[in-house]
Amino acid sequence: AQKVTQAQTEISVVEKEDVTLDCVYETRDTTYYLFWYKQPPSGELVFLIRRNSFDEQNEISGRYSWNFQKSTSSFNFTITASQVVDSAVYFCALSENAGNNRKLIWGLGTSLGVNP
Amino acid sequence: DAGVTQSPTHLIKTRGQQVTLRCSPISGHKSVSWYQQVLGQGPQFIFQYYEKEERGRGNFPDRFSARQFPNYSSELNVNALLLGDSALYLCASSLRGFVGLGETQYFGPGTRLLVL
């Protein structure tokens, strides 16, 4: 069965520190998609990145970077030089490749607090 | 372009009452999904609609119902409210709802429902 595990419930760092949020997934399919979303205190889920299972290249977007490793079923997210505005709950989500699959499977989220 | 909009932002109801939540998708998107998120959890899938037809349903009781209108906006109805229905209700918009094929869902700010 599909499953997403975010083992870190809460992380607290000081501004300018680097922080990595872990995501481990389980799936039986060979084709699937992984997502990261950010949920600030306002509640809105903000899309950050989508990665398909055939693309193992790491990706960098500004201070954000993602490390996808199929061998360990992990899709980790690193924030470099963290800022107070990065404080939020971050969710990792999984979708298997199926035309009739209509939903994402979500982890429980990691609450990141960045202190000044 | 406007993002996904939801109304109302907050709602307080008592047990046994009925509630209607509304969502307008991103312009050009024809699919709307509804998720329930209780505190400390990831979102749980309730429904997906595409072109006014229900395309997917999560493990929720029949007290939950939804519909989609010709302009692609959507309503979620919950009857006979229970205390456990207190949650953040999120609406997600996507082009055609093919989550299993990697289509990205964009979320609205949510409606916070409190049942007393």
Side-chain angles (χ1 to χ4, degrees):
Chain A
Q2 293 175 291
K3 185 178 179 182
V4 175
T5 301
Q6 295 181 256
Q8 304 148 308
T9 306
E10 290 186 29
I11 300 176
S12 183
V13 300
V14 177
E15 208 170 15
K16 299 184 182 177
E17 281 186 35
D18 298 347
V19 58
T20 295
L21 310 181
D22 298 333
C23 173
V24 174
Y25 60 91
E26 295 176 30
T27 177
R28 293 167 296 184
D29 210 337
T30 56
T31 303
Y32 49 89
Y33 298 86
L34 295 161
F35 299 79
W36 275 95
Y37 284 85
K38 173 184 179 180
Q39 188 173 42
S42 61
E44 182 172 350
L45 280 162
V46 178
F47 167 73
L48 295 177
I49 191 172
R50 179 190 69 184
R51 176 54 50 87
N52 75 56
S53 54
F54 292 108
D55 183 2
E56 291 195 66
Q57 280 191 335
N58 291 332
E59 181 155 340
I60 298 175
S61 176
R63 296 184 298 107
Y64 295 171
S65 63
W66 290 268
N67 182 359
F68 177 36
Q69 292 194 337
K70 285 182 77 170
S71 60
T72 56
S73 298
S74 65
F75 186 40
N76 297 335
F77 172 33
T78 297
I79 302 175
T80 302
S82 60
Q83 299 176 2
V84 172
V85 294
D86 296 327
S87 297
V89 180
Y90 291 86
F91 288 95
C92 180
L94 165 71
S95 176
E96 286 181 337
N97 179 22
N100 62 352
N101 182 15
R102 306 295 175 183
K103 64 180 181 180
L104 292 173
I105 304 299
W106 298 78
L108 294 180
T110 296
S111 178
L112 174 64
V114 181
N115 303 301
Chain B
D1 284 343
V4 180
T5 60
Q6 292 186 243
S7 63
T9 55
H10 295 79
L11 208 50
I12 300 175
K13 293 285 188 179
T14 57
R15 282 177 295 177
Q17 284 190 311
Q18 174 264 341
V19 67
T20 298
L21 312 180
R22 296 176 176 83
C23 170
S24 291
I26 293 170
S27 177
H29 285 192
K30 297 183 178 181
S31 179
V32 168
S33 295
W34 288 95
Y35 289 82
Q36 180 196 65
Q37 186 182 21
V38 299
L39 198 61
Q41 303 284 322
Q44 296 295 313
F45 174 72
I46 310 176
F47 286 111
Q48 188 194 75
Y49 277 78
Y50 173 66
E51 292 278 15
K52 298 182 292 181
E53 290 189 7
E54 182 183 306
R55 289 295 184 87
R57 183 182 186 114
N59 188 24
F60 279 81
D62 292 343
R63 299 185 296 107
F64 289 77
S65 64
R67 55 179 174 169
Q68 187 178 31
F69 299 100
N71 66 353
Y72 305 111
S73 67
S74 177
E75 286 183 352
L76 174 69
N77 296 285
V78 186
N79 294 322
L81 285 167
L82 303 174
L83 296 180
D85 295 331
S86 296
L88 177 66
Y89 288 85
L90 294 161
C91 173
S93 161
S94 62
L95 282 171
R96 295 173 299 163
F98 293 142
V99 178
L101 300 179
E103 196 171 277
T104 298
Q105 293 186 314
Y106 297 92
F107 286 80
T111 294
R112 293 188 185 275
L113 172 64
L114 177 60
V115 182
L116 300 176

